[in-house]
Amino acid sequence: MTSQVSSPAEQADGTVVGEQRKAAGAKDVRRLDRVIIRFAGDSGDGMQLTGDRFTSETASFGNDLSTLPNFPAEIRAPAGTLPGVSSFQLHFADHDILTPGDAPNVLVAMNPAALKANVADLPRGAEIIVNTDEFTKRAMQKVGYDTSPLEDGSLDGYHLHPVPLTTLTVEALKEFDLTRKEAERSKNMFALGLLSWMYHRPTEGTEKFLTSKFAKKPDIAAANIAAFRAGWNFGETTEDFAVSYEVAPAAKAFPVGTYRNISGNLALSYGLVAASRQADLPLFLGSYPITPASDILHELSKHKNFGVRTFQAEDEIAGIGAALGAAFGGSLAVTTTSGPGVALKSETIGLAVSLELPLLVIDIQRGGPSTGLPTKTEQADLLQAMFGRNGEAPVPIVAPRTPADCFDAALEAVRIALTYRTPVMLLSDGYLANGSEPWRIPELDELPDLTIQFAQGPNHTLDDGTAVFWPYKRDPQTLARPWAVPGTPGLEHRIGGIEKQDGTGNISYDPANHDFMVRTRQAKIDGIDVPDVEVDDPHEARTLVLGWGSTYGPITAAVRRLRTAGESIAQAHLRHLNPFPRNLGAVLERYDKVVIPEMNLGQLATLVRAKYLVDAHSYNQVNGMPFKAQQLATALKEAIDG
């Protein structure tokens, strides 16, 4: 069952790439073009930390990468159970990649539950590293193993490496004044050290991280570093691992620049800070903690030096209420939440539409409805963002496509909010929020100028010649009303949710005025200047695949596979969902078939059919996980042939 030679990796087109060499007196080293690793264990085993550290070292090495953290919703699910399994998948390569990978080449399983929950995803020939110390009779029975999978032949199709991780970790830490339970907690660092040896990952960054993380507990820091080094040394000396692997840096995949690994939520946070600086406005975040959006609150709270103020409110309504008040006061105002929170904020979003103030509403979508699947991803809030308010209350909608793209999407959403004096919905999701990839840090001169002018004095002359300030007198190009900061002499004006009179802003119940204001607010959103949608169609295809948000990576990977196989297919991806790009209708008319993959039951497809009368075909998935590239490639091939 145990093999000393692992299977090589496969490219997207299915070809095998790998070469093996052996230095004098050393173990064999095999060069691969890409690898997919999944760490899996109990939610208390530190799999997210282990994966994050491996990812950080991989990023510093220069590989392209994409990650998929996957963890239970419970803070601490029952130990050793299938619902309690936490995993972290990392795909890294010497070339440009787009997804965390369909199937892991390597599974690190810390217990029977982790093995059972993940083994079905493995291709034949994959490597499995198991912590044999956890494969007790009771632990195996808890997840339905009648016999040990390590001994009954059920894993014969894989390259199995049984490693007593717990025992080896405790032995490595025997010189430290730790209880056995305390020592066992470092087994994830032993596993990290072993995998770092197998794939020639740098180690200095992890050791510095551990020293910093446990700075107040130097003994714990030293123990974790010792376990990490012991794992590395085990790989170097044991006969069970006869091969190590090299995945060269992806030098050709990246334009010249300075890069760092970044998650979607971190990129959004940095984008908001950059936008506030480019707008020369203080940034205010009014938020209530909710998975998976809370990281933005955590990150922005660290940046008071950039004029950022964060307010953790008592509930969702208070969070957006405070943010809207900050917008009235002249701040760049943001509120963050997930789908259930958007429902609670809907009345205040409608108020922001009526007040015509800039406000950024960030929705990190998750599985629904109601509380739904808090730690799983979904794209099912599009129609809520589009229509989820009473009355005619249109708002622009922007959606990033990758974790790094969240930075640019934040800047774009702020541009629209400030220029057109409107709340803007930004739709990210759990896949983007928690996933990560390399990001090129932009130069300052690459960032857009977002500065605006506050109203300074009267802007209208009455028939008798009196100069007055009209809060709803609009810019003829953008239809935006002036932004008057409270306290500016002579600019006092009325605010509230009751309909405003055109120009004066006074309360009005006049039917004709209401009709005019409703149509004007809609015209303002319809008139927002957004770039045309770009179409990738090198072969004049007859089928177009149209996506939005986080489906970009899987769709693009699937399109690459089809083109490599000789198929002709076009691709377009939407960042702006309200208003749609002006050329979208013309683009759709050029194709015989339009396929729209979504992690919902067809919400973009519904909008496209309604607006353009195009018979768009939906391909849908709502299982809390992102699409797999091969899955989409198969569906798109059927669409081409059908």
Side-chain angles (χ1 to χ4, degrees), residues 140-311:
M140 289 187 289
Q141 289 177 341
K142 189 181 292 187
V143 295
Y145 281 129
D146 295 326
T147 60
S148 173
L150 310 184
E151 300 172 354
D152 63 8
S154 60
L155 301 178
D156 285 352
Y158 308 100
H159 297 294
L160 181 65
H161 299 278
V163 180
L165 288 172
T166 305
T167 298
L168 291 171
T169 302
V170 172
E171 178 67 19
L173 302 184
K174 64 183 180 181
E175 64 185 70
F176 293 89
D177 186 21
L178 300 173
T179 65
R180 180 179 177 86
K181 186 174 182 179
E182 290 172 335
E184 288 177 357
R185 291 174 182 166
S186 297
K187 62 181 180 289
N188 64 325
M189 288 298 105
F190 189 100
L192 178 60
L194 173 58
L195 269 293
S196 297
W197 171 83
M198 286 181 64
Y199 292 97
H200 297 255
R201 299 296 92 186
T203 60
E204 295 81 2
T206 293
E207 294 194 7
K208 289 180 180 178
F209 168 81
L210 292 171
T211 300
S212 173
K213 180 177 177 62
F214 298 106
K216 295 181 180 180
K217 298 179 179 179
D219 291 344
I220 300 298
N224 276 281
I225 291 172
F228 177 68
R229 292 175 177 173
W232 176 282
N233 293 333
F234 177 78
E236 184 72 26
T237 58
T238 183
E239 295 182 1
D240 190 32
F241 292 90
V243 180
S244 64
Y245 306 91
E246 287 183 351
V247 180
K252 297 180 181 179
F254 304 121
V256 175
T258 302
Y259 287 80
R260 61 156 294 164
N261 184 50
I262 200 165
S263 68
N265 274 351
L266 185 58
L268 269 176
S269 301
Y270 287 174
L272 293 173
V273 175
S276 75
R277 295 299 83 208
Q278 293 302 106
D280 195 24
L281 295 174
L283 176 63
F284 179 89
L285 173 68
S287 183
Y288 179 75
I290 184 172
T291 301
S294 300
D295 287 341
I296 301 173
L297 171 62
H298 300 160
E299 181 61 33
L300 289 180
S301 68
K302 304 174 184 177
H303 297 291
K304 295 179 182 178
N305 56 314
F306 288 113
V308 178
R309 292 186 178 182
T310 54
F311 169 57

Side-chain angles (χ1 to χ4, degrees), residues 284 286 311 315-327 335 345 348 351 359:
F284 179 89
F311 169 57
D315 56 40
E316 295 281 3
I317 298 172
I320 190 173
L324 185 56
T335 188
K345 295 178 188 291
T348 307
L351 176 59
L359 172 67

Side-chain angles (χ1 to χ4, degrees), residues 46-100:
M47 293 297 94
Q48 303 304 319
L49 175 62
T50 305
D52 183 68
R53 289 313 313 160
F54 196 93
T55 299
S56 295
E57 298 298 355
T58 296
S60 69
F61 187 72
N63 296 119
D64 195 10
L65 61 89
S66 180
T67 68
L68 178 62
N70 187 15
F71 39 87
E74 293 83 358
I75 294 174
R76 186 68 174 93
T81 63
L82 293 174
V85 173
S86 174
S87 68
F88 187 104
Q89 183 162 307
L90 165 67
H91 183 190
F92 62 101
D94 65 3
H95 58 277
D96 175 37
I97 58 174
L98 297 155
T99 74

Side-chain angles (χ1 to χ4, degrees), residues 454-460 467-471 482-484 488-491:
F454 290 116
Q456 299 297 321
N459 61 357
H460 183 75
V468 296
F469 173 68
W470 273 13
W483 194 0
T488 307
L491 303 190

